[in-house]
Amino acid sequence: TDEQLFDIYVKSLKPLTRRQFKLALLANNLLDVIDNTIASIADPLVKAHITIEYTESTEFVRTSDSVKYMLNILDLTEEQANTIWEQALTL
């Protein structure tokens, strides 16, 4: 099915380095947005978890729960997230 093919595609995306992840956010005018959005997470435990994941990770895996959460709070569609991810892989 299309959904299965999409899942295979997403799982095939290589992890990004911290540099690639942040440069891709910068190139898409999302660097300040993610900082501000993480800062506004109401649940203190979720906020602390995502802050640690974002600020301390050396690599970002497209299928990880924390990356999915970050992409979701940026209000990106799956297609937009994948486009940005592909761009980041070239940086």
Side-chain angles (χ1 to χ4, degrees):
T1 67
D2 288 342
E3 187 175 319
Q4 289 171 321
L5 291 174
F6 186 78
D7 286 342
I8 291 168
Y9 163 74
V10 169
K11 289 176 183 174
S12 76
L13 293 170
K14 293 182 180 180
L16 299 177
T17 64
R18 177 170 181 69
R19 176 187 161 279
Q20 288 172 313
F21 191 74
K22 292 194 82 165
L23 285 174
L25 292 173
L26 179 65
N28 288 279
N29 298 314
L30 295 171
L31 193 58
D32 289 337
V33 175
I34 197 163
D35 288 332
N36 294 333
T37 306
I38 290 172
S40 70
I41 295 172
D43 183 316
L45 187 57
V46 172
K47 180 179 180 177
H49 179 88
I50 296 300
T51 299
I52 291 167
E53 289 284 352
Y54 177 66
T55 60
E56 304 300 327
S57 292
T58 58
E59 115 176 330
F60 294 84
V61 177
R62 176 66 178 86
T63 56
S64 77
D65 289 339
S66 59
V67 167
K68 286 191 242 181
Y69 187 90
M70 285 183 248
L71 296 173
N72 185 50
I73 63 173
L74 290 172
D75 202 26
L76 298 173
T77 66
E78 288 291 324
E79 291 76 17
Q80 290 170 320
N82 292 336
T83 298
I84 291 171
W85 205 272
E86 288 178 9
Q87 291 171 344
L89 287 169
T90 68
L91 300 174

